[in-house]
Amino acid sequence: MRQNNMVAMILAGGRGSRLYDLTNKVAKPAVYFGGKYRIIDFPLSNCANSGIDVVGVLTQYESVLLNSYVAKASLWGLDAKDSGIYVLPPREKIEGFGLYRGTADAITQNIDFIDYYDPETVLILSGDHIYKMDYSKMLDCHNDNKADATIAVLEVPLKEASRFGIMNTDATDRIVEFEEKPKQPKSNLASMGIYIFDWKKLRKALLDDVKNPDSNHDFGKDIIPGFLNGGLHLQAYRFKGYWKDVGTIDSLWESNMDLLYRSEELNLHDSAWKIYTEDVTVPAQFIGPKAHVSNAYINQGCVVNGTVKNSVLFTGVVVEEGAEVSDSVLMPYTVVKAGAKVQRILTDDHITIGVNQTVGQPDGEILLVAKNVKGD
Amino acid sequence: MINTLGIVSYDDFVEIPGLTDTRPVPSISFMGRYRLIDFVLSNMTNSGISNIQIYLKNKPRSVIEHVGTGRHYNINSKSGKLRILTGEVNAQAEVYHHDVSAYMANMQYIEDAHQEYVVIAPSYMIYKFDFNEALLAHKENKADVTVLYKTVDNADTSFARIDTLTIDKPRRVVAIDKNQGKFKNRHISLSSYIMSKEVFIHLVYLAHETSSLYTLRDILKDQLPLMNVMAYPVKGYVASINTMPEYYKVSMELTDYEMAKELFNPQWPIHTRTNDSAPTQYATEADVSGSVIANHCQIAGTVKHSVIGRDVVIGKGAVIEDSVILANVEVAENAVLKHVVVDKFARIVHKNELVGTPDRIIYVKRKDVI
């Protein structure tokens, strides 16, 4: 039997173009994070840990890898009899083939999927945020307030509030106004892009939205304002904890570094809320006789015989003798050859830094290394 | 899929005081993230065997949990099968509990198997091998039984009490003896056998009728003059984890990546159950070298030439050298451990020095608080 009456839909179709070469071949949710994970492992693990059984993943941009990855539902334990992860890329229909024109349109085009499970509520998630959250608590808040929709919000510093969609609320945290990136924010409650909707009400709004020629078919721009204008009950759900949209190379690097410097907030060692991911069949890490390792986050399959500090090493990274790695994020199977020195870089997977090469600067922007660097 | 039933043999004679007090041999932790049984199971499934029986003497809990349905060893959950079978012998005396009595108790499941051949291999032998190779030779030689072996030059210091083979030309086995450690150069039997299911069943019945104390190895030894028993050499790294000194020595030896590479080949992955553990976190104060470290550890101390299991916490100023630390162990700040094997969930929190010698390893029991 299903554990609750909520279906989760993860929006995973975006490219994340500010990640440059990292998203040439894969969508942003499939980008690696934290030594062994992919970004989408976070919402998927949150779903699994929150007792959600049915998860739809809406893919569009470069979706082959992402589709085959999330289809292995057993990785997140979502392969029990009444549960599953369902990949929903755009499809050909009787009225023709249509790409998803916006976040809301992606859901509209899959109304049949959601109807099949006949849920009371639908949880809309983004596939490219790093955070740990118990959605069942948010559902309790939604039900307790008899809300038509509930939006998870994060308190951000007021001076940064103009970068976010801001919710203005009354004393009971009922949302009275929504402003997208306001110049003069009235509140510091930023939308996290996590929504719980009463399915019947959302379904109606989506069917109205699809007929509106002026709509962007977007949750933030169209559906939420539409709910507010229609006098429906929108509740804010305050989330406290680590949350980051890793949209740029700098923020992706920084978020990985948070595992070293803000491990109290982003703690992946908590056995009560594990983040699940594909487990690669590799041995434990070999830290060689010539190695010096300090302040580092290192995954299994690494072979380190050089110096590593202030860095995150993903599966199968090799740091040869005499090589030095500092303040860097090395994606899976990066090889730093003997004598090479890298500093403040973030590599794509399977990159080789050649013998005796120096890559990266002591300060300034993080350097993305997406091509092999030839050695001596 | 090859037409072969895999049998992970009954671990009747191996006992490693301490490590096997609370668990059977197959589930002994090894090299940070594995259990011994991962090697034999991976050899079998990588060879295309998808029907496997695991024979256990007692305390099956940890093995059942670890191997599950066998999905993580690549066994198809519909067309394949992983079975855990126990001795189920009523006899009180320990001497009657051995491989043959376990096979007799489960004969129905052996007879009912559709496969034409069987591969029988123990979990305490660590090696990487494609059984197809030996099966091919077995058929070409028209052998009744093929025994895997490794020619070693350290039988005086390793492989204690393991069978040795005397091999005639062309590789016919003429004698099986126990290694008494008197000679350096020996052909070490991997106690891994290939034979037709028919021959296997015949040998089990024969052993059972001969004596209630007889094992498969005993009857095979008896049958050497009557049967065509051939030896087949295994290349690469071979170790036997049948005593505490061997367990320790092999663990230490495999911290050398050049050595370990022979065993851990990406083309022949050793599968294991994932624990969904996070990467390991090294603090600024950490100083780690010459070691194999599993995931999910938090290390703030010094670790040299050691094997550290999953989810081990090592406090600031602690020093661990030449030691094997199993999963979920806590080593408090400033503790000093040398030549120690620490079993799971133990906590070294009060006493700050535990120093053994290479010949006298200190063993800390599971869940002990020291």
Side-chain angles (χ1 to χ4, degrees):
Chain A
M1 220 186 105
R2 299 225 311 267
Q3 298 176 76
N4 57 46
N5 215 347
M6 181 158 77
V7 164
M9 300 292 273
I10 301 181
L11 300 161
R15 171 174 172 192
S17 53
R18 287 172 304 153
L19 291 171
Y20 303 101
D21 291 355
L22 289 186
T23 53
N24 278 351
K25 291 277 156 52
V26 297
K28 182 176 162 192
V31 167
Y32 291 108
F33 176 82
K36 71 180 293 198
Y37 308 94
R38 293 180 189 271
I39 297 171
I40 199 166
D41 289 329
F42 285 79
L44 283 173
S45 301
N46 286 340
C47 284
N49 290 332
S50 301
I52 292 168
D53 299 306
V54 177
V55 181
V57 179
L58 300 137
T59 62
Q60 181 154 288
Y61 174 80
E62 279 297 349
S63 57
V64 170
L65 186 142
L66 190 57
N67 290 356
S68 56
Y69 181 65
V70 303
K72 287 184 236 163
S74 66
L75 297 181
W76 301 275
L78 288 163
D79 59 338
K81 186 166 157 288
D82 290 335
S83 64
I85 298 177
Y86 303 92
V87 183
L88 303 165
R91 57 188 143 141
E92 190 174 358
K93 294 183 178 152
I94 194 86
E95 56 274 22
F97 185 87
L99 287 173
Y100 297 150
R101 294 170 294 169
T103 51
D105 188 48
I107 304 297
T108 309
Q109 292 201 38
N110 290 289
I111 284 177
D112 52 352
F113 169 80
I114 300 174
D115 279 346
Y116 177 78
Y117 291 98
D118 190 27
E120 267 171 42
T121 51
V122 173
L123 171 67
I124 309 287
L125 301 169
S126 162
D128 43 17
H129 297 157
I130 304 293
Y131 64 109
K132 298 195 293 180
M133 179 173 176
D134 187 345
Y135 304 129
S136 70
K137 287 187 181 150
M138 181 171 169
L139 180 61
D140 289 345
C141 167
H142 177 85
N143 290 333
D144 291 349
N145 287 290
K146 298 190 171 60
D148 298 309
T150 299
I151 302 176
V153 296
L154 188 74
E155 293 178 32
V156 296
L158 199 58
K159 62 178 189 321
E160 286 177 29
S162 50
R163 289 172 35 216
F164 297 93
I166 294 297
M167 303 292 161
N168 300 323
T169 57
D170 69 9
T172 62
D173 276 349
R174 179 166 173 170
I175 297 166
V176 293
E177 190 186 9
F178 170 75
E179 293 181 288
E180 184 70 37
K181 297 182 179 159
K183 288 210 175 68
Q184 311 257 278
K186 292 173 206 155
S187 121
N188 67 340
L189 297 180
S191 168
M192 299 165 66
I194 299 167
Y195 314 107
I196 290 177
F197 285 100
D198 177 275
W199 173 232
K200 286 200 182 73
K201 304 235 163 73
L202 176 63
R203 193 179 189 284
K204 182 174 177 303
L206 291 172
L207 291 173
D208 291 345
D209 175 77
V210 80
K211 288 182 215 138
N212 179 359
D214 301 326
S215 174
N216 298 297
H217 312 294
D218 182 85
F219 276 101
K221 292 186 185 123
D222 308 291
I223 303 298
I224 302 298
F227 265 56
L228 275 172
N229 293 337
L232 294 176
H233 183 151
L234 266 80
Q235 187 70 26
Y237 171 75
R238 287 176 193 253
F239 172 76
K240 287 193 173 57
Y242 187 93
W243 177 84
K244 200 164 253 183
D245 180 349
V246 285
T248 63
I249 295 298
D250 268 348
S251 70
L252 179 60
W253 177 86
E254 186 185 79
S255 192
N256 275 285
M257 288 296 150
D258 286 343
L259 291 164
L260 298 174
Y261 298 104
R262 294 169 66 187
S263 56
E264 298 297 311
E265 296 161 74
L266 183 59
N267 176 11
L268 304 182
H269 283 75
D270 177 9
S271 57
W273 201 272
K274 282 186 176 177
I275 304 301
Y276 312 109
T277 187
E278 182 172 37
D279 190 76
V280 185
T281 307
V282 288
Q285 48 202 276
F286 283 80
I287 309 297
K290 304 279 173 57
H292 294 282
V293 175
S294 70
N295 196 33
Y297 212 69
I298 302 184
N299 195 31
Q300 57 201 9
C302 288
V303 181
V304 176
N305 207 13
T307 300
V308 175
K309 60 180 182 186
N310 311 332
S311 296
V312 176
L313 271 50
F314 287 68
T315 317
V317 166
V318 176
V319 179
E320 292 186 354
E321 193 178 333
E324 290 176 23
V325 174
S326 60
D327 305 292
S328 293
V329 175
L330 306 183
M331 297 286 189
Y333 303 102
T334 294
V335 178
V336 183
K337 290 285 196 183
K341 291 181 174 54
V342 305
Q343 190 173 18
R344 289 175 66 81
I345 68 167
L346 184 147
T347 60
D348 204 346
D349 56 315
H350 292 90
I351 293 296
T352 297
I353 310 287
V355 172
N356 293 330
Q357 297 305 296
T358 300
V359 183
Q361 300 289 332
D363 43 38
E365 280 190 7
I366 298 305
L367 180 69
L368 169 65
V369 181
K371 288 199 177 79
N372 291 340
V373 177
K374 272 203 185 130
D376 292 351
Chain B
M1 193 189 321
I2 56 173
N3 190 11
T4 302
L5 172 69
I7 290 182
V8 178
S9 49
Y10 194 74
D11 47 346
D12 44 2
F13 87 99
V14 175
E15 270 178 19
I16 306 178
L19 289 176
T20 56
D21 290 356
T22 53
R23 58 176 76 81
V25 174
S27 53
I28 292 176
S29 304
F30 185 62
M31 296 320 289
R33 70 172 308 205
Y34 299 102
R35 291 179 188 256
L36 293 186
I37 196 170
D38 293 335
F39 292 83
V40 60
L41 286 180
S42 297
N43 282 339
M44 284 178 175
T45 60
N46 290 344
S47 300
I49 296 173
S50 60
N51 239 283
I52 297 173
Q53 300 182 346
I54 300 169
Y55 284 85
L56 289 180
K57 194 171 192 172
N58 46 27
K59 308 185 197 84
R61 197 264 318 159
S62 54
V63 178
I64 292 170
E65 236 177 81
H66 185 71
V67 303
T69 58
R71 175 152 61 184
H72 44 276
Y73 299 100
N74 278 332
I75 296 174
N76 184 298
S77 59
K78 300 279 182 183
S79 69
K81 195 175 227 35
L82 186 70
R83 259 195 178 125
I84 293 179
L85 300 166
T86 53
E88 299 172 43
V89 183
N90 292 324
Q92 295 290 317
E94 187 71 3
V95 288
Y96 299 116
H97 293 256
H98 47 69
D99 57 352
V100 165
S101 64
Y103 301 143
M104 283 302 296
N106 295 286
M107 188 48 83
Q108 180 197 341
Y109 306 110
I110 297 167
E111 285 176 339
D112 287 354
H114 300 299
Q115 289 74 21
E116 196 182 341
Y117 292 94
V118 291
V119 167
I120 304 147
S123 49
Y124 62 86
M125 277 287 176
I126 301 297
Y127 59 92
K128 165 178 99 55
F129 184 68
D130 186 346
F131 293 117
N132 289 291
E133 219 182 276
L135 183 61
L136 198 69
H138 178 84
K139 289 177 187 170
E140 276 173 8
N141 294 333
K142 297 196 168 51
D144 293 312
V145 176
T146 297
V147 187
L148 303 184
Y149 76 100
K150 170 86 182 171
T151 306
V152 304
D153 57 8
N154 61 345
D156 53 338
T157 55
S158 292
F159 300 103
R161 307 203 307 272
I162 298 295
D163 281 340
T164 60
L165 304 181
T166 305
I167 301 171
D168 208 356
K169 280 180 186 165
R171 286 201 188 129
R172 188 161 173 225
V173 179
V174 292
I176 299 175
D177 298 287
K178 287 278 176 208
N179 178 22
Q180 306 290 353
K182 286 180 191 156
F183 305 98
K184 283 186 172 182
N185 298 307
R186 293 283 95 171
H187 301 307
I188 295 293
S189 163
L190 305 191
S191 301
S192 306
Y193 311 103
I194 292 166
M195 59 190 96
S196 69
K197 199 182 81 178
E198 200 187 330
V199 168
F200 176 61
I201 292 171
H202 168 71
L203 286 174
V204 170
Y205 275 112
L206 203 59
H208 182 65
E209 285 156 17
T210 307
S211 159
S212 52
L213 299 174
Y214 250 45
T215 65
L216 187 67
R217 177 252 184 207
D218 296 332
I219 195 71
L220 196 63
K221 190 175 153 85
D222 277 11
Q223 293 291 307
L224 287 178
L226 307 171
M227 283 180 137
N228 184 20
V229 179
M230 301 293 288
Y232 190 89
V234 168
K235 294 186 193 75
Y237 188 85
V238 173
S240 167
I241 311 292
N242 61 317
T243 64
M244 183 61 100
E246 287 287 281
Y247 176 75
Y248 175 79
K249 196 167 72 181
V250 170
S251 299
M252 289 293 107
E253 191 169 275
L254 286 173
T255 58
D256 177 359
Y257 183 65
E258 292 306 311
M259 187 83 97
K261 265 201 306 202
E262 277 190 41
L263 194 56
F264 300 113
N265 179 336
Q267 307 304 317
W268 195 264
I270 306 301
H271 308 286
T272 186
R273 185 172 74 99
T274 175
N275 219 279
D276 298 298
S277 43
T280 276
Q281 185 150 21
Y282 297 83
T284 311
E285 303 83 359
D287 181 9
V288 179
S289 63
S291 298
V292 171
I293 318 269
N295 265 9
H296 217 86
C297 295
Q298 296 177 61
I299 302 177
T302 298
V303 180
K304 285 183 181 158
H305 195 232
S306 295
V307 177
I308 310 291
R310 189 190 310 111
D311 206 357
V312 169
V313 178
I314 301 169
K316 273 183 207 170
V319 177
I320 298 176
E321 275 181 48
D322 304 308
S323 295
V324 180
I325 314 290
L326 303 194
N328 303 98
V329 166
E330 181 190 340
V331 179
E333 292 188 6
N334 302 318
V336 176
L337 274 62
K338 279 184 194 173
H339 302 293
V340 180
V341 174
V342 184
D343 208 330
K344 287 175 139 190
F345 296 101
R347 299 173 63 221
I348 316 295
V349 286
H350 302 306
K351 189 168 175 180
N352 51 22
E353 251 188 39
L354 275 174
V355 179
T357 67
D359 302 323
R360 193 169 282 236
I361 304 304
I362 296 176
Y363 170 74
V364 178
K365 280 209 293 242
R366 192 174 188 271
K367 287 191 172 174
D368 254 13
V369 179
I370 293 183

